[in-house]
Amino acid sequence: MKLVIIGLGYTAGFFARAALAGGFEVTGTVRSADKAGALSRAGIPTLVFDGFAVSSRLAKAVMEADAVLVSAQPGEDGDPALACLSSQLAAAPDLRWIGYLSTIGVYGNHDGAWIDETAECRPTNARSTLRLTIDKAWLAFGEKTGKPVQIFRLAGIYGPGRNGIVNLRAGTARRLVKPGQVFNRIHAQDIAGVLLASLEQPRNGAVYNVTDDEPAPPQDVVSFAAGLIGIEPPPETPFDPAQLTPMAASFYGENKRVSNALMKRELGYALRYPTYREALRALAQAGE
């Protein structure tokens, strides 16, 4: 099976490596020639796609693809892959799966309530509003062309090299406390697992929340990570948006518990790391 990944960054890299291990032929894209060369030398053939110009090699790869994952960051006007590659995607004869990596931020704030994919989307910032617009555009593309489009709304992503243990060791971890605030998370390896499970059973128009089982207060996660590596956690600090960047403060303006029941039920996927505890223990043991 030929898989093209538009935007081969941190998260998509886990999927690429899992797909290669499963016998897929993988082609990725990045924005810089230097990064494309490094990834190609590391075993993942990678092309340059700057969000505007489509090379003949990329057009050919998409036209021959069985599956395409879109993980590129959106531009100001929407998704660059949909804008630049829609004709190739629509015409690709063997294409049977398109995945788009979105965010649970499209749901906005629900005051800590449990929600699922049927919840009202009411994004609270321009970033999430744009993501919701792109979700809808991809679903419309799937409806128009008949190509099976799946939207994956991801929780806060972490994994090797990007987690609370790394932040504690770097001295950048904080324990901000906002009463009642919780966040869902998802390990990058579980994202890869969900995508592979979806490839086995495409459903045009599917939307999946890709989250862990336990939305938790962020200060609890930091404390748990500190205990694993035997250091004192940073002191608790009352949440004050004035002390944060606008982007960081915006995350605390959204409080919800996001269900992953549909993902489990329809795709039959069992999380490798159902909560932050299993994941952080594994990361601490691996020194990651």
Side-chain angles (χ1 to χ4, degrees):
M1 180 177 287
K2 296 182 178 180
L3 168 66
V4 175
I5 299 176
I6 308 298
L8 188 55
Y10 177 80
T11 301
F14 286 86
F15 179 48
R17 289 185 287 273
L20 284 168
F24 287 71
E25 180 181 322
V26 179
T27 301
T29 78
V30 292
R31 289 182 173 269
S32 78
D34 287 346
K35 189 172 183 181
L39 285 165
S40 296
R41 290 190 293 274
I44 306 176
T46 306
L47 307 173
V48 174
F49 174 53
D50 62 3
F52 299 99
V54 177
S55 68
S56 58
R57 292 178 65 195
L58 176 55
K60 182 175 184 290
V62 172
M63 284 292 293
E64 295 178 350
D66 298 286
V68 172
L69 176 72
V70 179
S71 182
Q73 289 296 312
E76 293 182 0
D77 299 324
D79 181 63
L82 188 56
C84 297
L85 291 164
S86 58
S87 60
Q88 289 90 347
L89 290 165
D94 299 321
L95 185 59
R96 65 177 190 83
W97 184 91
I98 298 172
Y100 178 71
L101 298 189
S102 183
T103 169
I104 61 171
V106 300
Y107 295 114
N109 179 44
H110 286 263
D111 295 322
W114 278 101
I115 63 169
D116 62 14
E117 290 84 354
T118 66
E120 179 186 359
C121 291
R122 45 195 190 210
T124 57
N125 56 62
R127 185 177 64 256
S128 294
T129 299
L130 177 59
R131 285 286 193 175
L132 181 57
T133 299
I134 295 172
D135 282 9
K136 293 177 179 178
W138 273 112
L139 292 171
F141 176 83
E143 184 175 352
K144 178 182 177 181
T145 64
K147 300 295 185 183
V149 170
Q150 285 77 201
I151 305 295
F152 301 92
R153 291 177 174 164
L154 310 181
I157 302 165
Y158 69 108
R162 296 189 183 186
N163 58 74
I165 294 170
V166 171
N167 296 340
L168 283 162
R169 287 175 170 153
T172 59
R174 302 175 68 182
R175 278 201 298 164
L176 298 179
V177 179
K178 183 180 181 184
Q181 180 75 50
V182 295
F183 294 111
N184 281 90
R185 298 157 186 83
I186 189 68
H187 194 288
Q189 289 180 345
D190 275 320
I191 297 172
V194 170
L195 296 175
L196 287 173
S198 173
L199 276 167
E200 295 298 318
Q201 43 191 320
R203 176 169 69 83
N204 195 4
V207 177
Y208 299 109
N209 295 330
V210 185
T211 72
D212 60 2
D213 288 347
E214 184 180 331
Q219 67 270 19
D220 291 2
V221 179
V222 176
S223 296
F224 185 81
L228 288 174
I229 58 176
I231 67 173
E232 284 295 316
E236 291 190 348
T237 304
F239 170 74
D240 180 359
Q243 301 300 314
L244 300 174
T245 65
M247 180 175 287
S250 72
F251 288 120
Y252 279 82
E254 299 179 2
N255 189 16
K256 51 187 172 283
R257 292 170 166 84
V258 183
S259 170
N260 59 22
L262 178 64
M263 172 193 83
K264 290 180 175 180
R265 182 174 68 250
E266 190 165 295
L267 300 180
Y269 183 74
L271 288 167
R272 183 172 179 177
Y273 302 108
T275 78
Y276 64 87
R277 297 179 190 85
E278 295 87 356
L280 289 174
R281 286 192 191 102
L283 290 164
Q285 291 169 2
E288 299 176 322

